[in-house]
Amino acid sequence: MSLDLFSSRFLFSSGAAKKLPSRRRVTFVAAASSSPSTPSPPRSQDASSSSRQRSVRATPLSPSKGASRPAGSNGRTRRRRQRRTVEGGQEQGGCVPSVEEASIRVGTLYENGDPLGRKELGRCVVEWLRQGMQSMASKFASAELQGDMADLTTAALTLNWGSAEGQLGFVIQAQPYLSSIPMPKGLESLCFKACTHYPTLFDHFQRELRAVLLSYQNQGLIYDWRSTQTWKLLKEMANSTHHRAAVRRTTPRTKAVHSSIGISLKKVRLMQDRIEDFVKHMSDLLRIERDAELEFTQEELNATTMLDNNSKPSKPVEYLVTHGQAQQEQCDTICNLSVISSSTGLGGLHLVLFRIEGEHKLPPTTLSPGDMVCVRTCNSRGEGATSCMQGFLYNLGEDGCSITVALESRHGDPTFSRLFGKSVRIDRIQGLADALTYERNLEALMLLQRNGLLKSNASIDVVATLFGDSKDVMKMEQNCLIDWGESSLPDPRLSERCAFDDSQLRALSLGLNKKRPVLVIQGPPGTGKTVLLTELIVRAVRQGESVLVTAPSNAAVDNMVERLSRTGLNIVRVGNPARISPSVTSKSLAEIVNGRLGQFRKELERKRTDLRKDLRDCIEDDSLAAGIRQLLKQLGRDLEMKEKETIMEVLSDAQVVLSTNTGAADPLIRKTGCFDLVIIDEAGQGIEPSCWIPILQGKRCILAGDHCQLAPAILSRKALEGGLGKSMMERASLLHDGLLTTRLTVQHRMHDSIASWASKEMYQGLLQSSHSVASHLLADSPVVKV
């Protein structure tokens, strides 16, 4: 190994570092008047002087460590070798500061008694301090072994370094050792700051002195490192009153806080732990519920009649096949169907058109758009049914002879191709486990766990409110990040639609407060909750907010669409077209997009017709036919691209977007960006994981409903008892001593004698009856004849 000694500075060549023997340990000790000498027994002055010229001392390792072992047998050995190589490289070329270290400035350092560490100085400066203090510690430790502490100016250890004079003397005494180590390039100002900061120097010196003494004890040079005079003097000084006063914090250090919610990082970690526990628990409950749904679905599929040649149907086959009879009861099975065509609907739906064979009409049936169905091939009498293809009823043809089904298979699926040319039967399935709903609920939980408390999450205030404690919520309010009060709107009692009572006005004012992350509006029956939400949405749009409105069921969403249709707002209903009420179809995304693309599709279809004619004329010319087929494919791609552009245009222009809770996970909605306000109607009827789907797409949320009425429908008793049946609305209403909740207290629907029972049993007697209905009798109604 090559070793160059100049002013206590060691330079290592990379080639020599590879020749380090595996059974020897090399200790490098600086030798100069300002650097430590190698520890040795007491000797004469000449011997001591000559010993200072030696800079390398090789000592054998212990037998257990020196035993040879196969290369690569121990990962720690390789890591030690790599560490020595890296350290040698740093000695040769210096420590290279990272981008974060290079950005540290002297003005950002604390001026109190705390030692400066890696967070303030960076890795390179701390390593520079460590090497200098290691040299100083080795000097004093070896001086005690040689018995010449006085000769080596170690009498300073006996001084009271905690005093002002002693602190300055210690700092001055440390400078030669630090100056012998090259400063990291570009970090000289930090080095000068650190080398004059007494708490930092003493902290490193104490740590390195302990390491040096402990190494001497392992080498057998001393019996107990704690009993050495050097260590005793150091501890005596560290316990002195002057020293403690010097290293005491003179100014309180500001706690590291989350910049978005103003809460300490320790509290944020506790919140994250609560979120992770919640996600794990809810994921387990969802899997249990999913298993119960699959079991129930399988029972329904098994209960569906599958006729074969040896079995008799529960009803005559003619009843299922011929439909010309009068006074037939409604059935949930339609047979004798044939495939006419298939197409791809908006959003990639695989639509298949079926028609009754012959001149028959569809029978009286309980089937309606949105029903889950099972499609199977069979003979003309409905016998010999094959395996089931699942889908849902898209619509019933206006001609009374056709029916359209959206299948789960994609267009061109070979399984679907088996339906062509065969007789088909369709059976309604009472209950079917929805894999998409399950996946979207799990996805929402994963997003909550991963992004819930990130600064980039728009709904971080909502997450912190629902998973933090009351002190955290108060801290957020003190930092002016949130506000739990009412908004200061001019004359909030004026309304263009109806007059509101005091409880409704308060809920309206709270809901319009943009700095309130969560609001729970509990609306008992007849208290005007839907009317209030309509007014709230209108005013939120007027104050410049984009709104996402969801509910657990399609019926509840369509009810809100009907209400908002009368307000003149630009609203869009997103969801499965087959499950949207016909009364609000005009507001659905599919209908709006189809209306805008009507002329474009006509022109596109005209081009397709012309190309198909040309294709028939030149079918024998392979090269020309291939070109025409490519043009037909390009027209299909143009239509798809135009549909996407139109969809994004419609959703971007919408002031209010409405969907079910799980429908809010549609990529079409997520691509529109973050909403200012999310409103979940009938929130007491939805499970909590489904509510997180829309909430994570908005800056604040309002949960409206009544958890004292219908609860979420849960099949599994185990999942119900585990907490899946407890809605987010119910949980949020109990948080922070009811801070999140406001209740509508005046009902306008029923006689007081009826409402008083509900008020007493479920609403702590707070529900009152309006004067207009308190004494209203059924006989007073104009439509009732007495």
Side-chain angles (χ1 to χ4, degrees), residues 56 344 353 372 541 579 591 657 676 693 712 786:
V56 179
T344 302
L353 176 64
M372 307 306 296
V541 171
R579 298 183 180 182
E591 193 71 16
V657 177
D676 297 311
I693 297 175
V786 181

Short mmCIF file of all heavy atoms in Angstrom, two decimals, residues 56 344 353 372 541 579 591 657 676 693 712 786:
data_model
loop_
_atom_site.label_atom_id
_atom_site.label_comp_id
_atom_site.label_asym_id
_atom_site.label_seq_id
_atom_site.Cartn_x
_atom_site.Cartn_y
_atom_site.Cartn_z
N VAL A 56 1.81 4.07 10.29
CA VAL A 56 1.01 2.86 10.04
C VAL A 56 1.35 1.85 11.10
O VAL A 56 2.52 1.61 11.39
CB VAL A 56 1.30 2.28 8.64
CG1 VAL A 56 0.49 1.03 8.42
CG2 VAL A 56 0.99 3.30 7.56
N THR A 344 -70.12 -2.22 -31.05
CA THR A 344 -69.44 -1.66 -29.88
C THR A 344 -70.09 -0.34 -29.51
O THR A 344 -70.10 0.59 -30.32
CB THR A 344 -67.95 -1.45 -30.16
OG1 THR A 344 -67.36 -2.70 -30.54
CG2 THR A 344 -67.24 -0.92 -28.91
N LEU A 353 -77.53 -7.75 -30.59
CA LEU A 353 -78.96 -7.62 -30.89
C LEU A 353 -79.54 -9.00 -31.17
O LEU A 353 -79.05 -9.72 -32.05
CB LEU A 353 -79.16 -6.70 -32.11
CG LEU A 353 -80.59 -6.54 -32.60
CD1 LEU A 353 -81.46 -5.87 -31.52
CD2 LEU A 353 -80.63 -5.72 -33.89
N MET A 372 -79.41 -8.12 -14.77
CA MET A 372 -78.35 -9.06 -15.08
C MET A 372 -78.98 -10.31 -15.67
O MET A 372 -79.98 -10.82 -15.16
CB MET A 372 -77.55 -9.42 -13.83
CG MET A 372 -77.01 -8.21 -13.08
SD MET A 372 -76.04 -7.08 -14.08
CE MET A 372 -74.65 -8.10 -14.53
N VAL A 541 -72.14 26.21 -7.52
CA VAL A 541 -71.74 26.49 -8.90
C VAL A 541 -71.62 27.99 -9.12
O VAL A 541 -70.70 28.48 -9.80
CB VAL A 541 -72.75 25.87 -9.88
CG1 VAL A 541 -72.48 26.33 -11.31
CG2 VAL A 541 -72.70 24.34 -9.80
N ARG A 579 -79.03 1.47 -17.25
CA ARG A 579 -79.51 1.61 -15.88
C ARG A 579 -79.92 3.04 -15.54
O ARG A 579 -80.15 3.36 -14.39
CB ARG A 579 -78.42 1.14 -14.92
CG ARG A 579 -78.06 -0.32 -15.11
CD ARG A 579 -77.04 -0.81 -14.11
NE ARG A 579 -76.73 -2.21 -14.33
CZ ARG A 579 -75.89 -2.92 -13.58
NH1 ARG A 579 -75.27 -2.34 -12.56
NH2 ARG A 579 -75.68 -4.19 -13.82
N GLU A 591 -76.18 9.98 -24.42
CA GLU A 591 -77.15 10.69 -25.26
C GLU A 591 -76.59 12.01 -25.77
O GLU A 591 -76.77 12.40 -26.92
CB GLU A 591 -78.43 10.93 -24.45
CG GLU A 591 -79.62 11.39 -25.27
CD GLU A 591 -80.18 10.27 -26.15
OE1 GLU A 591 -79.84 9.10 -25.90
OE2 GLU A 591 -80.93 10.59 -27.09
N VAL A 657 -71.40 16.95 -12.44
CA VAL A 657 -71.32 15.59 -12.95
C VAL A 657 -71.97 14.67 -11.92
O VAL A 657 -71.69 14.78 -10.72
CB VAL A 657 -69.86 15.17 -13.21
CG1 VAL A 657 -69.80 13.72 -13.68
CG2 VAL A 657 -69.22 16.09 -14.23
N ASP A 676 -64.10 20.57 -7.00
CA ASP A 676 -64.04 21.41 -5.81
C ASP A 676 -64.91 20.87 -4.68
O ASP A 676 -64.58 21.01 -3.51
CB ASP A 676 -64.48 22.84 -6.15
CG ASP A 676 -63.57 23.50 -7.17
OD1 ASP A 676 -62.34 23.46 -6.96
OD2 ASP A 676 -64.07 24.03 -8.16
N ILE A 693 -64.39 6.37 -3.14
CA ILE A 693 -64.15 6.52 -4.58
C ILE A 693 -64.37 7.96 -5.03
O ILE A 693 -63.48 8.56 -5.64
CB ILE A 693 -65.04 5.53 -5.37
CG1 ILE A 693 -64.68 4.09 -5.02
CG2 ILE A 693 -64.89 5.77 -6.87
CD1 ILE A 693 -65.59 3.05 -5.66
N PRO A 712 -76.51 0.05 4.80
CA PRO A 712 -75.98 -0.69 3.65
C PRO A 712 -76.42 -2.15 3.68
O PRO A 712 -76.52 -2.77 4.75
CB PRO A 712 -74.46 -0.58 3.82
CG PRO A 712 -74.26 0.65 4.64
CD PRO A 712 -75.43 0.73 5.56
N VAL A 786 -114.58 11.67 1.41
CA VAL A 786 -115.00 11.24 2.73
C VAL A 786 -116.28 10.43 2.62
O VAL A 786 -117.24 10.85 1.96
CB VAL A 786 -115.21 12.47 3.65
CG1 VAL A 786 -115.64 12.01 5.02
CG2 VAL A 786 -113.95 13.29 3.71
#
